[in-house]
Amino acid sequence: MLKTSDEKYLRAIYSVSHSENKQKVSLSDLAYYLDLKPPTVLERLHVLQKEKFISYTKTEGVVLTKSGEKEALNVIRKHRVWETFLHKVCKFGWNEVHEMAEQLQNVNSEKLIDRIYTLSGEPKFDPHGDPIPDKSGKLPVSVRRPLLNSIEGCRCLVLGVNEDSAEFLNYLTDLNIGLNEKLSVEKVFGYDGSLKIKYKNSESVILSPKVAEKILVTCTKHGCACK
Amino acid sequence: MLKTSDEKYLRAIYSVSHSENKQKVSLSDLAYYLDLKPPTVLERLHVLQKEKFISYTKTEGVVLTKSGEKEALNVIRKHRVWETFLHKVCKFGWNEVHEMAEQLQNVNSEKLIDRIYTLSGEPKFDPHGDPIPDKSGKLPVSVRRPLLNSIEGCRCLVLGVNEDSAEFLNYLTDLNIGLNEKLSVEKVFGYDGSLKIKYKNSESVILSPKVAEKILVTCTKHGCACK
DNA sequence: TTATTTTTTTAGGTATGCCTAATTTTAGTA
DNA sequence: TACTAAAATTAGGCATACCTAAAAAAATAA
Ligand SMILES: [Mn+2]
Ligand SMILES: [Mn+2]
Ligand SMILES: [Mn+2]
Ligand SMILES: [Mn+2]
């Protein structure tokens, strides 16, 4: 049985290695992500390596082994299933579920996860639009891109976000932007990359590039020139 | 915020001090209950005392302070609310919920407890018939006594059990005895205190005193001579 | 290539939470 | 009361999980 702390590290390694423009997970990246100091993390990496969940060299950084990746996907599954359950069954907002799921994901009971997943209606994506791995670790695919990469006139659908923090999600909620919202990009400001978007047939706001980068969308006009 | 381990100790102290014929919680009682060695527990008691949750002297044993009792009741509330939720909403058997609740009770979110309690229909008792404290720590009362103390001819109703272990609950389930079962005591064997009981208008079994002691009932004939 | 900065590693420290073995204290029995 | 058994305490050890400060190695810039 995996320790809570192993799960935390494996999930972190997976997340960091799959985040934008990161082809190498360095010790310091990981320490920063986990909000721990490098010596603490290094110590743990040695253990995880002995347990054959990762391989680590200072030049290559941290790489998950097959078994490490399997475990990481399992924690991610637990996390996302809990988030889904909290949202669908317990009716919490998408901005409230992450913190609770963070604690709940450590509960050890395959049977419980199965049960709450069933009660949630077995969706393929969590309340933030992130794919829920199946038991074998397979992820449903969804083609998404940051809203930031839009060209003027593009129409698109919000499929997810790149950040789970309550602050960010609260901001979107304040703007009345949620999952499955249809947006049209009215203007792209070349100066800093801000976007003016219109939605709900009425509202229109200007989003900073920092925000637009974290909203994941798919174009709805086919053959759209966005990348 | 309380640590998981504080909660464990406070709950244990509360349980031991409220169990039958215990007017003093000694260090060794507590160590036995927690399945830890006395020096380990002693060390922790010193900390809990510094935190003003208990008072401890070797002669008086461990006593919860007002604040310690409040915390203990809060953990008990969390535990029982989770058990109720797992039973009512997730449809787990009464023999399956304790283990999971043991882990879930450590999750810190008042709001989550409130929500799942509402979803469970806000019953006053958990799946084992144990009272669920309200937020202020008040326990609903229920007058119960061990089935063992029955006299011949007594008719009673199962209101709870004194043990949460899956083995015990599985045994009762095998016997077809559950909460709210109506029993009639056909015979009391003086030799060892075994009881022959009849229920469901047909089945009849002999229960050992060890088992009969752990089934909690209330007499249904009023003015019954059981104590 | 050398100098500077960043990253990694080592060394050593603290707190928690568990243990065994030995000792002291308390309580029960003769 | 004196002896004995049980309970509590002390001492010292181990693993985990965190830290800071300093040294070594690697990467970057001049
Ligand atoms: Mn999340
Ligand atoms: Mn999510
Ligand atoms: Mn229980
Ligand atoms: Mn219970």
Side-chain angles (χ1 to χ4, degrees):
Chain A
M1 188 54 41
L2 278 197
K3 272 168 296 182
T4 289
S5 144
D6 282 341
E7 298 196 333
K8 184 177 75 172
Y9 275 80
L10 295 175
R11 196 165 90 91
I13 294 163
Y14 187 95
S15 298
V16 175
S17 70
H18 285 77
S19 61
E20 294 302 305
N21 53 54
K22 274 272 153 55
Q23 71 289 58
K24 183 188 127 178
V25 180
S26 71
L27 175 62
S28 47
D29 286 344
L30 198 55
Y32 179 80
Y33 181 89
L34 286 164
D35 197 19
L36 296 171
K37 303 297 167 186
T40 303
V41 175
L42 181 62
E43 201 170 63
R44 227 49 238 313
L45 289 185
H46 290 323
V47 177
L48 288 167
Q49 185 154 40
K50 211 169 296 152
E51 295 172 329
K52 301 263 205 286
F53 289 130
I54 62 163
S55 80
Y56 170 68
T57 54
K58 62 186 156 210
T59 45
E60 299 295 310
V62 189
V63 179
L64 290 171
T65 61
K66 260 271 156 292
S67 117
E69 176 163 300
K70 186 159 165 287
E71 294 300 341
L73 282 162
N74 190 247
V75 195
I76 289 170
R77 174 177 160 79
K78 291 195 287 177
H79 181 86
R80 294 184 182 165
V81 166
W82 273 114
E83 284 188 342
T84 303
F85 176 77
L86 290 169
H87 182 64
K88 298 265 177 150
V89 178
C90 301
K91 306 296 179 195
F92 283 104
W94 72 338
N95 49 342
E96 301 177 287
V97 300
H98 178 76
E99 292 289 305
M100 286 181 258
E102 202 71 25
Q103 296 181 63
L104 290 162
Q105 74 186 356
N106 299 317
V107 173
N108 279 317
S109 171
E110 182 82 19
K111 211 171 161 185
L112 178 56
I113 295 295
D114 288 350
R115 195 66 61 95
I116 64 173
Y117 190 48
T118 303
L119 286 171
S120 310
E122 314 199 351
K124 292 260 190 295
F125 299 91
D126 85 1
H128 312 104
D130 292 313
I132 300 175
D134 69 16
K135 282 196 204 179
S136 70
K138 210 168 291 162
L139 285 160
V141 281
S142 70
V143 183
R144 313 184 305 182
R145 60 167 183 84
L147 174 62
L148 185 64
N149 302 351
S150 300
I151 57 174
E152 260 176 34
C154 175
R155 298 170 147 276
C156 53
L157 188 68
V158 177
L159 286 190
V161 289
N162 249 338
E163 192 182 314
D164 272 350
S165 78
E167 305 84 68
F168 177 61
L169 297 173
N170 285 339
Y171 179 49
L172 292 189
T173 305
D174 283 350
L175 293 178
N176 238 315
I177 297 176
L179 225 52
N180 296 313
E181 195 64 56
K182 282 182 218 103
L183 311 176
S184 61
V185 178
E186 294 200 301
K187 198 147 178 48
V188 176
F189 297 99
Y191 176 63
D192 68 344
S194 290
L195 299 175
K196 183 170 183 198
I197 62 162
K198 192 168 171 182
Y199 53 106
K200 289 202 199 295
N201 295 322
S202 62
E203 303 185 50
S204 118
V205 293
I206 292 180
L207 297 178
S208 72
K210 185 173 173 186
V211 169
E213 187 186 24
K214 289 179 178 159
I215 298 176
L216 300 172
V217 299
T218 187
C219 298
T220 46
K221 266 195 321 196
H222 90 273
C224 179
C226 297
K227 38 160 204 339
Chain B
M1 188 55 39
L2 279 196
K3 272 167 298 184
T4 290
S5 146
D6 283 341
E7 299 196 332
K8 185 177 74 172
Y9 275 80
L10 295 175
R11 196 165 90 92
I13 294 164
Y14 186 95
S15 298
V16 173
S17 69
H18 285 77
S19 61
E20 295 301 307
N21 52 55
K22 274 273 154 56
Q23 72 287 59
K24 185 189 126 178
V25 181
S26 69
L27 176 62
S28 46
D29 286 344
L30 198 55
Y32 179 81
Y33 181 89
L34 287 164
D35 198 20
L36 295 171
K37 303 298 168 186
T40 302
V41 174
L42 180 62
E43 202 170 61
R44 229 49 239 311
L45 289 184
H46 290 322
V47 178
L48 288 167
Q49 186 154 40
K50 211 168 297 151
E51 296 172 329
K52 302 261 205 283
F53 289 131
I54 63 164
S55 81
Y56 171 69
T57 55
K58 60 186 154 208
T59 46
E60 300 295 312
V62 189
V63 179
L64 289 171
T65 61
K66 259 274 157 287
S67 116
E69 175 163 299
K70 184 160 166 287
E71 295 300 341
L73 282 162
N74 189 246
V75 196
I76 289 170
R77 174 176 159 80
K78 291 195 287 176
H79 181 86
R80 293 184 182 163
V81 167
W82 273 115
E83 284 188 343
T84 304
F85 176 76
L86 291 170
H87 183 63
K88 299 265 177 150
V89 178
C90 300
K91 305 298 178 194
F92 284 104
W94 72 339
N95 50 343
E96 301 177 286
V97 299
H98 178 77
E99 291 290 304
M100 283 182 260
E102 202 72 25
Q103 297 181 63
L104 290 162
Q105 74 186 354
N106 299 316
V107 172
N108 280 316
S109 170
E110 183 81 19
K111 210 170 164 187
L112 177 57
I113 295 295
D114 288 350
R115 195 65 61 96
I116 64 173
Y117 190 48
T118 303
L119 286 171
S120 310
E122 313 199 350
K124 292 259 189 296
F125 300 91
D126 85 0
H128 311 106
D130 292 314
I132 300 176
D134 70 15
K135 281 196 202 178
S136 70
K138 210 167 294 163
L139 284 159
V141 283
S142 70
V143 184
R144 312 183 307 181
R145 60 168 182 84
L147 174 61
L148 185 64
N149 302 352
S150 301
I151 58 174
E152 262 176 35
C154 175
R155 297 170 149 278
C156 54
L157 187 67
V158 177
L159 286 189
V161 289
N162 249 336
E163 192 183 314
D164 272 350
S165 77
E167 304 84 66
F168 176 60
L169 297 173
N170 286 339
Y171 178 50
L172 292 189
T173 305
D174 283 352
L175 294 177
N176 238 314
I177 298 176
L179 225 52
N180 296 313
E181 194 65 53
K182 283 182 216 101
L183 311 177
S184 61
V185 179
E186 294 201 299
K187 199 149 179 45
V188 176
F189 298 100
Y191 175 63
D192 68 342
S194 289
L195 299 175
K196 184 172 182 197
I197 62 162
K198 192 170 171 180
Y199 53 106
K200 288 202 198 299
N201 295 322
S202 62
E203 304 185 51
S204 121
V205 293
I206 293 180
L207 298 179
S208 72
K210 184 173 172 186
V211 169
E213 188 187 25
K214 288 179 180 159
I215 299 178
L216 301 171
V217 300
T218 189
C219 297
T220 48
K221 268 196 315 193
H222 89 274
C224 179
C226 297
K227 30 147 220 332

